[in-house]
Amino acid sequence: MILAAWLLASAGAALSQGATAEYDLVIRGGRVLDGAGNPWISADVAVKDGRIVKVGPVKGKGAKEIDAKGRYVAPGFIDMMDQSSRSLLRNGGAENKLLQGVTTVITGEGGPPVPAAELPAYFDRLEKQGIAVNLGTYYASTQARRKVMGDADGRPTPAQLDEMSREVDIAMRGGAFGISSALIYAPSSFQTTSDLVTLARAASRCGAIYATHMRDEASNLIPAIEEAIEIGEKGGVKVEIFHLKAATRIGWGKLMPQALSTIETARDRGVDVAANMYLYTASGTGLEITVPAWVWAGGKDKGLALLKDPKVRERLKKEVAAGPQPDWPNHVAAAGGWDNIMLANGRVEKYAQYQGMSIAKIAAALGKDPADTAWDILIEAQPERATAVYFTIGEADIRTALRRPWVSIGSDAGASIELGKADGDVLPHPRAYGNHARTIAEYVRNNPVLTLEDAVRKMTSWPAERMGLSDRGLVREGMRADIVVFDYAKIQDNATFAQPLRPSSGIDDVIVNGVPTIAGGKPTGARAGVALRHQCVAGG
């Protein structure tokens, strides 16, 4: 009887507290970083109905309260170059993102996993199934090309370009933030500057962005940047350069300063161009980029057939050995050889034991030529994509670029389907689990390049401004309540190239649209994210 009475009394007290709570959530006594780059202030933050309603002393109670004394309170981080468009359909939890403090992802380098006309239904499906982060996407110029022309090389006719432009327009009106390109991959690499200007003009009617994985990030980096700027200027759109890097060892210390100067010269004359980057010395992508581009001119199936031909392989090996080409950024040469290309995921069980080893070491173990080894893995993985990590980036160049105020943070990595496990949509690279936490741990605290205020700005208000997210990216009254609470002394990216699937730590609480989604460093299972639909306002 006594126990029952106590339980009833406790339940009544809880209901009473909830009934009289003025706010849904109050974060008490934290060091509040507003996200705009201002110094922190000591304040409470009150949340109600998914929005921040008060910043300062809060007398009223919250239905839930977080004691943030001694910790920092910041806007939720925005991943400006995400790859979660497919994985979130399979599992909306995005735990590896949330544990870095990421509350919003901008995806779509390869476009959404649906045609342009189905984009609204894709957004609806994400929300119906439930996602733990907010998601916005680009539509890929390659998607339009594939629909009209397939995946082979060739110039589109004026009628075909008109049809592609209609697809772009449909996507923009369906909620895409702009068009993207990935110009080192076929068939995107077959698109000319003129083609992309035409498609950018179609997107410009909706005030969109042209976001690009440029044609070359190695020896021809500067012409590639100039091409991106030209597309933006002639197409009438903003330009966002994906994962800015100088990805060739022979260019370290030289190419990046030239690249930054090229971008800033364009900005000085009024071109709205900016970039994002991840903070690691290796890129990660498919093994197909180790093959000269002409192999894929007839489409994927014909390219794979060519790659199986021993005579063709001998020619390819000579081209790889010859170094960079004007029409092909030779990633093997950029890495300094097969010793600096590490197998990330071979897809086939027999190669599982070699993951994390260089292609050169795998070749030695198998008694084969490194090129043959890489291309055999590529072929045997089909129809899946074998991936590798390419150590082509200089640490000093990362630090140089990161200082620029127009550079934001993007991981080029997706949400895991299962935390801590490799899967079909996540390339095993530490950037998937550590990039945003690393921004603070490494480049503010351990080896300072940025102030804490500016690091947070690069992950919050600046990307929100770039994407036109006027109600996110700041801890201010009236804004959407995407909030991160972290311990500056403990925040840490734990993922490494040897162990790339280790979650970040030190980010204790993450709020998405007012809902606690990480609490005490653990996922709550909440799915409070929404699809972010760009509004077509110009000419709409």
Side-chain angles (χ1 to χ4, degrees):
M1 290 290 293
I2 295 174
L3 178 60
W6 181 84
L7 289 171
L8 285 170
S10 297
L15 287 170
S16 175
Q17 182 182 10
T20 58
E22 188 173 347
Y23 306 106
D24 298 328
L25 173 68
V26 176
I27 303 171
R28 300 261 180 208
R31 298 177 177 183
V32 177
L33 292 159
D34 67 357
N38 293 312
W40 64 267
I41 62 169
S42 181
D44 304 327
V45 179
V47 174
K48 190 173 181 63
D49 297 329
R51 291 186 181 270
I52 297 168
V53 294
K54 188 169 179 59
V55 179
V58 174
K59 294 182 179 180
K61 299 295 183 182
K64 295 181 180 178
E65 299 213 357
I66 296 172
D67 181 1
K69 186 176 180 180
R71 296 183 291 163
Y72 286 90
V73 180
F77 302 156
I78 298 173
D79 189 336
M80 279 290 277
M81 205 280 177
D82 170 80
Q83 300 282 6
S84 299
S85 61
R86 294 181 184 273
S87 61
L88 287 175
L89 288 173
R90 296 178 61 186
N91 179 4
E95 289 93 348
N96 62 311
K97 297 285 183 174
L98 292 166
L99 289 167
Q100 298 177 60
V102 171
T103 59
T104 295
V105 300
I106 306 299
T107 189
E109 177 191 17
V114 296
E118 297 176 23
L119 192 52
Y122 167 70
F123 290 146
D124 291 343
R125 180 182 169 189
L126 286 172
E127 291 183 333
K128 184 177 180 180
Q129 291 182 187
I131 51 176
V133 292
N134 308 304
L135 176 143
T137 188
Y138 298 104
Y139 173 75
S141 59
T142 317
Q143 288 178 282
R145 181 185 171 94
R146 273 200 174 105
K147 178 170 183 179
V148 176
M149 296 180 63
D151 64 354
D153 198 358
R155 291 301 312 279
T157 65
Q160 287 174 321
L161 266 178
D162 286 345
E163 189 176 349
M164 292 180 204
S165 295
R166 284 192 293 272
E167 289 297 308
V168 170
D169 185 72
I170 290 168
M172 296 307 103
R173 295 175 189 278
F177 280 84
I179 61 166
S180 61
S181 66
L183 299 177
I184 70 164
Y185 305 113
S188 188
S189 58
F190 304 142
Q191 294 177 299
T192 67
T193 305
S194 176
D195 295 342
L196 292 165
V197 167
T198 297
L199 298 184
R201 285 175 179 156
S204 72
R205 294 192 287 268
C206 288
I209 298 172
Y210 170 65
T212 179
H213 180 153
M214 296 180 296
R215 206 173 292 277
D216 196 327
E217 298 174 318
S219 57
N220 293 309
L221 174 63
I222 307 308
I225 291 174
E226 291 170 342
E227 179 189 36
I229 292 168
E230 180 183 353
I231 291 165
E233 281 192 286
K234 292 182 177 178
V237 292
K238 295 190 287 186
V239 178
E240 181 73 13
I241 294 172
F242 284 146
H243 45 56
L244 178 65
K245 64 177 82 74
T248 175
R249 288 173 176 255
I250 61 173
W252 288 359
K254 297 177 289 186
L255 279 175
M256 183 57 77
Q258 294 175 38
L260 299 174
S261 176
T262 301
I263 293 169
E264 289 178 337
T265 297
R267 288 182 61 82
D268 287 345
R269 69 170 185 266
V271 182
D272 192 349
V273 53
N276 58 70
M277 62 187 301
Y278 53 78
L279 308 180
Y280 295 88
T281 56
S283 61
T285 190
L287 277 173
E288 74 277 0
I289 65 164
T290 65
V291 180
W294 65 263
V295 171
W296 310 110
K300 181 179 178 180
D301 291 341
K302 291 182 179 179
L304 291 170
L306 285 171
L307 201 53
K308 294 175 184 178
D309 186 329
K311 291 183 179 180
V312 172
R313 283 203 179 189
E314 289 309 307
R315 173 184 170 184
L316 298 180
K317 290 173 188 177
K318 291 177 182 178
E319 292 184 14
V320 169
Q325 307 298 317
D327 60 347
W328 176 52
N330 186 337
H331 286 74
V332 182
W338 296 103
D339 287 301
N340 298 314
I341 300 174
M342 184 182 82
L343 182 65
N345 192 340
R347 301 291 188 177
V348 179
E349 183 61 31
K350 76 178 191 180
Y351 294 119
Q353 62 182 310
Y354 301 116
Q355 289 179 191
M357 290 175 59
S358 73
I359 297 296
K361 286 185 178 180
I362 298 170
L366 296 174
K368 296 167 62 174
D369 177 84
D372 286 324
T373 300
W375 300 336
D376 286 347
I377 294 171
L378 186 164
I379 291 168
E380 291 177 49
Q382 298 301 316
E384 302 297 332
R385 187 189 192 204
T387 56
V389 172
Y390 301 76
F391 288 89
T392 59
I393 304 167
E395 176 63 32
D397 286 341
I398 293 174
R399 299 169 73 84
T400 297
L402 187 57
R403 291 186 176 96
R404 294 304 197 272
W406 41 264
V407 170
S408 59
I409 307 300
S411 69
D412 192 14
S416 288
I417 295 170
E418 186 173 355
L419 187 67
K421 292 188 178 181
D423 54 61
D425 292 299
V426 175
L427 170 71
H429 188 298
R431 66 194 184 192
Y433 278 71
N435 193 54
H436 282 71
R438 182 174 177 79
T439 304
I440 295 174
E442 179 65 18
Y443 295 96
V444 177
R445 187 188 64 210
N446 296 346
N447 294 289
V449 174
L450 306 171
T451 65
L452 179 59
E453 292 82 0
D454 197 37
V456 169
R457 182 192 67 85
K458 285 175 173 291
M459 297 189 285
T460 58
S461 68
W462 172 235
E465 178 70 20
R466 285 292 288 163
M467 302 307 299
L469 304 176
S470 59
D471 58 353
R472 299 182 193 273
L474 293 166
V475 178
R476 287 185 184 166
E477 294 174 9
M479 304 296 284
R480 298 283 182 183
D482 293 342
I483 302 171
V484 172
V485 182
F486 65 90
D487 187 323
Y488 178 73
K490 295 180 179 178
I491 189 170
Q492 189 63 52
D493 54 308
N494 298 311
T496 65
F497 287 107
Q499 295 180 297
L501 304 177
R502 296 169 62 186
S504 294
S505 55
I507 296 176
D508 305 309
D509 295 277
V510 178
I511 315 302
V512 180
N513 294 312
V515 179
T517 306
I518 297 291
K522 304 292 184 183
T524 66
R527 300 288 189 270
V530 298
L532 302 173
R533 299 163 173 86
H534 177 64
Q535 299 299 310
C536 182
V537 293

Coordinates of all heavy atoms in Angstrom, one line a residue, residues 87-154:
S87 N 21.2 6.2 -47.5 CA 21.3 5.4 -46.3 C 20.2 5.9 -45.3 O 19.7 5.0 -44.5 CB 22.7 5.6 -45.6 OG 22.9 7.0 -45.3
L88 N 19.7 7.1 -45.3 CA 18.7 7.5 -44.4 C 17.3 6.9 -44.8 O 16.5 6.8 -43.9 CB 18.5 9.1 -44.4 CG 19.7 9.8 -43.7 CD1 19.5 11.3 -43.9 CD2 19.7 9.5 -42.2
L89 N 17.2 6.4 -46.0 CA 16.0 5.7 -46.3 C 16.0 4.3 -45.6 O 14.9 3.8 -45.3 CB 15.9 5.5 -47.8 CG 15.5 6.7 -48.7 CD1 15.6 6.4 -50.2 CD2 14.1 7.2 -48.4
R90 N 17.1 3.8 -45.4 CA 17.3 2.5 -44.8 C 17.3 2.5 -43.2 O 16.7 1.7 -42.6 CB 18.5 1.8 -45.3 CG 18.5 1.4 -46.8 CD 19.8 0.8 -47.2 NE 20.0 -0.5 -46.6 CZ 21.2 -1.2 -46.7 NH1 22.1 -0.7 -47.5 NH2 21.3 -2.3 -46.1
N91 N 17.9 3.6 -42.7 CA 17.9 3.8 -41.3 C 18.0 5.3 -41.1 O 19.1 5.9 -41.4 CB 19.0 3.1 -40.6 CG 19.0 3.3 -39.1 OD1 18.2 4.0 -38.5 ND2 20.0 2.8 -38.4
G92 N 17.0 5.9 -40.5 CA 17.0 7.4 -40.3 C 17.8 7.9 -39.1 O 17.8 9.0 -38.8
G93 N 18.4 6.9 -38.4 CA 19.0 7.3 -37.1 C 20.2 8.2 -37.2 O 20.4 9.1 -36.3
A94 N 21.1 8.1 -38.2 CA 22.2 9.0 -38.4 C 23.1 9.2 -37.1 O 23.6 10.3 -36.9 CB 21.7 10.3 -38.9
E95 N 23.3 8.1 -36.4 CA 24.0 8.2 -35.1 C 25.4 8.8 -35.3 O 25.9 9.6 -34.4 CB 24.0 6.9 -34.4 CG 22.7 6.5 -33.8 CD 21.9 5.6 -34.7 OE1 22.3 5.5 -35.9 OE2 20.9 5.0 -34.3
N96 N 26.1 8.3 -36.3 CA 27.5 8.8 -36.5 C 27.5 10.3 -36.8 O 28.5 11.0 -36.5 CB 28.2 8.0 -37.6 CG 27.6 8.2 -39.0 OD1 26.3 8.0 -39.1 ND2 28.3 8.5 -40.0
K97 N 26.5 10.8 -37.4 CA 26.4 12.3 -37.6 C 26.1 13.0 -36.3 O 26.7 14.0 -36.0 CB 25.3 12.6 -38.7 CG 25.6 12.0 -40.0 CD 26.7 12.8 -40.8 CE 26.9 12.2 -42.2 NZ 27.9 13.1 -42.9
L98 N 25.1 12.5 -35.6 CA 24.6 13.2 -34.4 C 25.7 13.3 -33.4 O 25.8 14.3 -32.7 CB 23.4 12.5 -33.8 CG 22.1 12.6 -34.7 CD1 21.1 11.5 -34.2 CD2 21.5 14.0 -34.6
L99 N 26.5 12.2 -33.2 CA 27.5 12.2 -32.2 C 28.7 13.1 -32.5 O 29.6 13.4 -31.7 CB 28.0 10.7 -32.0 CG 27.0 9.8 -31.3 CD1 27.4 8.4 -31.5 CD2 26.8 10.2 -29.9
Q100 N 28.7 13.7 -33.7 CA 29.6 14.8 -34.1 C 28.9 16.2 -33.9 O 29.6 17.2 -34.1 CB 30.0 14.7 -35.6 CG 30.8 13.5 -36.0 CD 31.0 13.5 -37.5 OE1 31.7 14.4 -38.0 NE2 30.5 12.5 -38.2
G101 N 27.7 16.2 -33.5 CA 26.9 17.4 -33.4 C 26.2 17.9 -34.6 O 25.6 19.0 -34.7
V102 N 26.2 17.0 -35.7 CA 25.5 17.4 -36.9 C 24.0 17.2 -36.8 O 23.5 16.1 -36.5 CB 26.1 16.5 -38.1 CG1 25.3 16.8 -39.4 CG2 27.6 16.9 -38.3
T103 N 23.3 18.3 -37.1 CA 21.8 18.2 -37.1 C 21.2 18.4 -38.4 O 20.0 18.1 -38.6 CB 21.2 19.3 -36.1 OG1 21.7 20.6 -36.5 CG2 21.7 19.0 -34.7
T104 N 22.0 18.9 -39.4 CA 21.5 19.1 -40.8 C 22.5 18.7 -41.8 O 23.7 18.9 -41.6 CB 21.2 20.6 -41.0 OG1 20.1 21.0 -40.1 CG2 20.8 20.9 -42.4
V105 N 22.1 18.0 -42.8 CA 23.0 17.5 -43.8 C 22.5 18.0 -45.2 O 21.3 18.0 -45.5 CB 23.1 15.9 -43.9 CG1 23.6 15.4 -42.5 CG2 21.8 15.3 -44.2
I106 N 23.5 18.4 -46.0 CA 23.2 18.9 -47.4 C 23.9 17.8 -48.3 O 25.1 17.7 -48.3 CB 23.8 20.3 -47.7 CG1 23.2 21.3 -46.6 CG2 23.4 20.7 -49.1 CD1 21.7 21.4 -46.6
T107 N 23.1 17.1 -49.0 CA 23.5 16.0 -49.8 C 23.3 16.2 -51.3 O 22.8 17.3 -51.6 CB 22.8 14.7 -49.3 OG1 23.5 13.6 -49.9 CG2 21.4 14.7 -49.6
G108 N 23.7 15.2 -52.1 CA 23.3 15.3 -53.5 C 24.4 15.6 -54.5 O 24.2 16.0 -55.6
E109 N 25.7 15.2 -54.1 CA 26.7 15.3 -55.1 C 26.4 14.5 -56.4 O 26.5 14.9 -57.5 CB 28.1 14.7 -54.6 CG 29.2 14.7 -55.6 CD 30.4 13.9 -55.1 OE1 30.3 13.2 -54.2 OE2 31.5 14.1 -55.7
G110 N 25.8 13.3 -56.1 CA 25.3 12.5 -57.2 C 23.8 12.6 -57.4 O 23.2 11.9 -58.2
G111 N 23.2 13.5 -56.7 CA 21.8 13.8 -56.8 C 21.0 12.9 -55.8 O 21.5 11.9 -55.2
P112 N 19.7 13.1 -55.7 CA 18.9 12.2 -54.8 C 18.7 10.9 -55.5 O 18.9 10.8 -56.7 CB 17.5 13.0 -54.7 CG 17.5 13.8 -56.0 CD 18.9 14.2 -56.3
P113 N 18.2 9.9 -54.8 CA 18.1 8.5 -55.3 C 16.8 8.3 -56.1 O 16.3 7.2 -56.2 CB 18.2 7.6 -54.1 CG 17.6 8.4 -53.0 CD 18.0 9.9 -53.3
V114 N 16.2 9.4 -56.6 CA 15.0 9.4 -57.4 C 15.1 10.4 -58.5 O 15.9 11.3 -58.5 CB 13.8 9.7 -56.5 CG1 13.6 8.7 -55.4 CG2 13.9 11.1 -55.9
P115 N 14.3 10.2 -59.6 CA 14.2 11.2 -60.7 C 13.7 12.5 -60.2 O 13.1 12.6 -59.1 CB 13.3 10.5 -61.7 CG 13.2 9.1 -61.3 CD 13.4 9.0 -59.8
A116 N 13.9 13.5 -61.0 CA 13.5 14.9 -60.6 C 12.0 15.0 -60.2 O 11.7 15.6 -59.2 CB 13.8 15.8 -61.8
A117 N 11.1 14.3 -61.0 CA 9.7 14.5 -60.7 C 9.3 13.8 -59.4 O 8.2 14.1 -58.9 CB 8.9 13.8 -61.9
E118 N 10.1 12.9 -58.9 CA 9.8 12.2 -57.7 C 10.4 12.8 -56.4 O 10.3 12.2 -55.3 CB 10.2 10.7 -57.8 CG 9.4 10.0 -58.9 CD 9.9 8.5 -59.1 OE1 10.5 8.0 -58.1 OE2 9.8 8.0 -60.2
L119 N 11.0 13.9 -56.6 CA 11.7 14.5 -55.4 C 10.7 14.9 -54.3 O 11.0 14.6 -53.1 CB 12.5 15.8 -55.9 CG 13.5 16.4 -54.9 CD1 14.5 15.3 -54.4 CD2 14.2 17.5 -55.5
P120 N 9.6 15.5 -54.5 CA 8.6 15.7 -53.4 C 8.2 14.4 -52.7 O 8.1 14.4 -51.5 CB 7.4 16.4 -54.1 CG 8.0 17.0 -55.3 CD 9.1 16.1 -55.8
A121 N 8.0 13.3 -53.4 CA 7.6 12.1 -52.8 C 8.8 11.5 -52.0 O 8.6 10.9 -50.9 CB 7.2 11.1 -53.9
Y122 N 10.0 11.7 -52.4 CA 11.2 11.3 -51.7 C 11.3 12.0 -50.3 O 11.5 11.4 -49.3 CB 12.4 11.6 -52.5 CG 13.8 11.5 -51.8 CD1 14.3 10.3 -51.3 CD2 14.5 12.6 -51.5 CE1 15.5 10.2 -50.7 CE2 15.7 12.6 -50.8 CZ 16.2 11.3 -50.4 OH 17.4 11.3 -49.7
F123 N 11.0 13.3 -50.4 CA 11.0 14.1 -49.1 C 9.9 13.6 -48.2 O 10.1 13.4 -47.0 CB 10.8 15.6 -49.4 CG 12.0 16.3 -50.1 CD1 11.7 17.3 -51.0 CD2 13.3 15.9 -49.8 CE1 12.8 17.9 -51.6 CE2 14.3 16.6 -50.4 CZ 14.1 17.6 -51.3
D124 N 8.8 13.4 -48.7 CA 7.6 12.9 -47.9 C 8.0 11.5 -47.3 O 7.6 11.3 -46.1 CB 6.4 12.8 -48.8 CG 5.8 14.1 -49.2 OD1 6.2 15.1 -48.6 OD2 5.0 14.1 -50.1
R125 N 8.6 10.6 -48.1 CA 9.0 9.3 -47.6 C 10.0 9.4 -46.4 O 9.8 8.7 -45.4 CB 9.5 8.5 -48.7 CG 9.9 7.0 -48.2 CD 10.5 6.2 -49.4 NE 11.1 5.0 -48.9 CZ 11.9 4.2 -49.6 NH1 12.1 4.5 -50.9 NH2 12.4 3.1 -49.1
L126 N 11.0 10.3 -46.5 CA 11.9 10.5 -45.5 C 11.2 10.9 -44.2 O 11.5 10.3 -43.1 CB 13.0 11.5 -45.8 CG 14.0 11.1 -46.8 CD1 14.9 12.4 -47.2 CD2 15.0 10.0 -46.3
E127 N 10.3 11.8 -44.3 CA 9.6 12.3 -43.1 C 8.7 11.3 -42.5 O 8.5 11.2 -41.3 CB 8.9 13.6 -43.4 CG 9.9 14.8 -43.7 CD 9.2 16.1 -44.0 OE1 8.0 16.1 -44.4 OE2 9.8 17.1 -43.7
K128 N 8.0 10.6 -43.4 CA 7.1 9.5 -42.9 C 7.8 8.4 -42.2 O 7.4 7.9 -41.2 CB 6.3 9.0 -44.1 CG 5.2 8.0 -43.7 CD 4.4 7.5 -44.9 CE 3.3 6.5 -44.5 NZ 2.5 6.0 -45.6
Q129 N 8.9 8.0 -42.8 CA 9.7 6.9 -42.1 C 10.4 7.4 -40.9 O 10.6 6.7 -39.9 CB 10.8 6.4 -43.1 CG 10.2 5.6 -44.3 CD 11.3 5.0 -45.2 OE1 11.0 4.5 -46.2 NE2 12.5 5.1 -44.8
G130 N 10.8 8.7 -40.9 CA 11.4 9.3 -39.8 C 12.9 9.4 -39.9 O 13.6 8.4 -40.2
I131 N 13.5 10.6 -39.8 CA 14.9 10.9 -39.9 C 15.3 11.7 -38.7 O 14.6 12.6 -38.2 CB 15.4 11.5 -41.2 CG1 14.5 12.8 -41.5 CG2 15.3 10.6 -42.4 CD1 15.0 13.6 -42.7
A132 N 16.5 11.4 -38.2 CA 17.0 12.1 -37.0 C 17.7 13.4 -37.2 O 18.0 14.2 -36.3 CB 17.9 11.2 -36.2
V133 N 18.0 13.7 -38.5 CA 18.6 15.0 -38.9 C 17.8 15.6 -40.0 O 17.0 14.9 -40.7 CB 20.1 14.7 -39.4 CG1 21.0 14.3 -38.3 CG2 20.1 13.7 -40.5
N134 N 18.0 16.9 -40.2 CA 17.4 17.6 -41.3 C 18.2 17.3 -42.6 O 19.4 17.2 -42.5 CB 17.3 19.1 -41.0 CG 16.7 19.4 -39.7 OD1 15.6 19.0 -39.4 ND2 17.4 20.1 -38.9
L135 N 17.5 17.2 -43.7 CA 18.2 16.9 -45.0 C 17.7 17.8 -46.1 O 16.5 18.0 -46.3 CB 17.9 15.4 -45.4 CG 18.5 15.0 -46.7 CD1 19.1 13.6 -46.7 CD2 17.5 15.1 -47.9
G136 N 18.7 18.4 -46.8 CA 18.4 19.1 -48.0 C 19.3 18.5 -49.1 O 20.3 17.9 -48.8
T137 N 18.9 18.6 -50.4 CA 19.7 18.0 -51.4 C 19.8 18.8 -52.7 O 18.9 19.7 -53.0 CB 19.1 16.6 -51.8 OG1 19.9 15.9 -52.7 CG2 17.7 16.8 -52.5
Y138 N 20.8 18.6 -53.5 CA 21.0 19.1 -54.8 C 20.4 18.0 -55.8 O 20.2 16.9 -55.4 CB 22.4 19.3 -55.2 CG 23.2 20.3 -54.4 CD1 24.0 19.9 -53.4 CD2 22.9 21.7 -54.6 CE1 24.7 20.9 -52.6 CE2 23.6 22.6 -53.8 CZ 24.5 22.2 -52.8 OH 25.2 23.2 -52.1
Y139 N 20.2 18.4 -57.0 CA 19.8 17.5 -58.1 C 21.0 17.5 -59.0 O 21.6 18.6 -59.3 CB 18.6 18.0 -58.8 CG 18.3 17.2 -60.1 CD1 17.7 15.9 -60.0 CD2 18.5 17.7 -61.4 CE1 17.4 15.2 -61.1 CE2 18.2 17.0 -62.5 CZ 17.6 15.8 -62.4 OH 17.3 15.0 -63.5
A140 N 21.5 16.3 -59.4 CA 22.7 16.2 -60.2 C 22.5 16.4 -61.7 O 21.5 15.9 -62.3 CB 23.3 14.8 -60.0
S141 N 23.4 17.2 -62.3 CA 23.3 17.5 -63.7 C 23.4 16.1 -64.4 O 22.8 15.9 -65.5 CB 24.4 18.4 -64.1 OG 25.7 17.9 -63.8
T142 N 24.2 15.2 -63.8 CA 24.3 13.9 -64.5 C 23.0 13.1 -64.5 O 22.8 12.3 -65.4 CB 25.3 13.0 -63.7 OG1 26.5 13.9 -63.3 CG2 25.8 11.8 -64.4
Q143 N 22.2 13.3 -63.6 CA 20.9 12.6 -63.6 C 20.1 13.0 -64.8 O 19.4 12.2 -65.5 CB 20.1 12.9 -62.3 CG 20.6 12.3 -61.1 CD 19.8 12.7 -59.9 OE1 20.0 13.8 -59.3 NE2 18.9 11.8 -59.4
A144 N 20.1 14.3 -65.1 CA 19.4 14.8 -66.3 C 20.0 14.3 -67.6 O 19.3 13.8 -68.5 CB 19.4 16.4 -66.3
R145 N 21.3 14.2 -67.6 CA 22.0 13.7 -68.8 C 21.7 12.2 -69.0 O 21.4 11.8 -70.1 CB 23.5 13.9 -68.6 CG 24.3 13.4 -69.9 CD 25.8 13.5 -69.6 NE 26.5 12.8 -70.7 CZ 27.0 13.4 -71.8 NH1 26.8 14.7 -72.0 NH2 27.6 12.7 -72.8
R146 N 21.8 11.4 -67.9 CA 21.5 10.0 -68.0 C 20.1 9.7 -68.5 O 19.9 8.8 -69.3 CB 21.7 9.3 -66.6 CG 23.1 8.9 -66.3 CD 23.1 7.8 -65.3 NE 24.5 7.3 -65.0 CZ 25.2 7.6 -64.0 NH1 24.8 8.5 -63.1 NH2 26.4 7.0 -63.9
K147 N 19.2 10.5 -68.0 CA 17.8 10.3 -68.5 C 17.6 10.5 -70.0 O 16.9 9.8 -70.7 CB 16.8 11.2 -67.7 CG 15.4 11.0 -68.1 CD 14.4 11.7 -67.2 CE 13.0 11.4 -67.7 NZ 11.9 12.0 -66.9
V148 N 18.3 11.5 -70.5 CA 18.2 11.9 -71.9 C 19.1 11.2 -72.8 O 18.7 10.8 -73.9 CB 18.4 13.5 -72.0 CG1 18.3 13.9 -73.4 CG2 17.4 14.2 -71.2
M149 N 20.4 10.9 -72.3 CA 21.4 10.4 -73.2 C 22.0 9.1 -72.8 O 22.8 8.5 -73.5 CB 22.5 11.4 -73.3 CG 22.2 12.7 -74.0 SD 23.6 13.8 -74.1 CE 24.7 12.9 -75.1
G150 N 21.7 8.6 -71.6 CA 22.4 7.4 -71.1 C 23.7 7.7 -70.5 O 24.0 8.9 -70.2
D151 N 24.6 6.7 -70.4 CA 25.9 7.0 -69.7 C 27.1 7.0 -70.6 O 28.3 6.9 -70.2 CB 26.1 6.0 -68.6 CG 26.2 4.5 -69.1 OD1 26.1 4.3 -70.3 OD2 26.5 3.7 -68.2
A152 N 26.9 7.0 -71.9 CA 28.0 7.1 -72.9 C 28.4 8.5 -73.2 O 27.7 9.5 -72.9 CB 27.6 6.4 -74.2
D153 N 29.6 8.7 -73.8 CA 30.1 10.0 -74.2 C 29.3 10.5 -75.3 O 28.6 9.8 -76.0 CB 31.6 9.8 -74.6 CG 32.3 11.2 -74.6 OD1 31.7 12.2 -74.3 OD2 33.5 11.2 -74.8
G154 N 29.5 11.8 -75.6 CA 28.8 12.4 -76.8 C 28.2 13.8 -76.4 O 27.9 14.0 -75.2

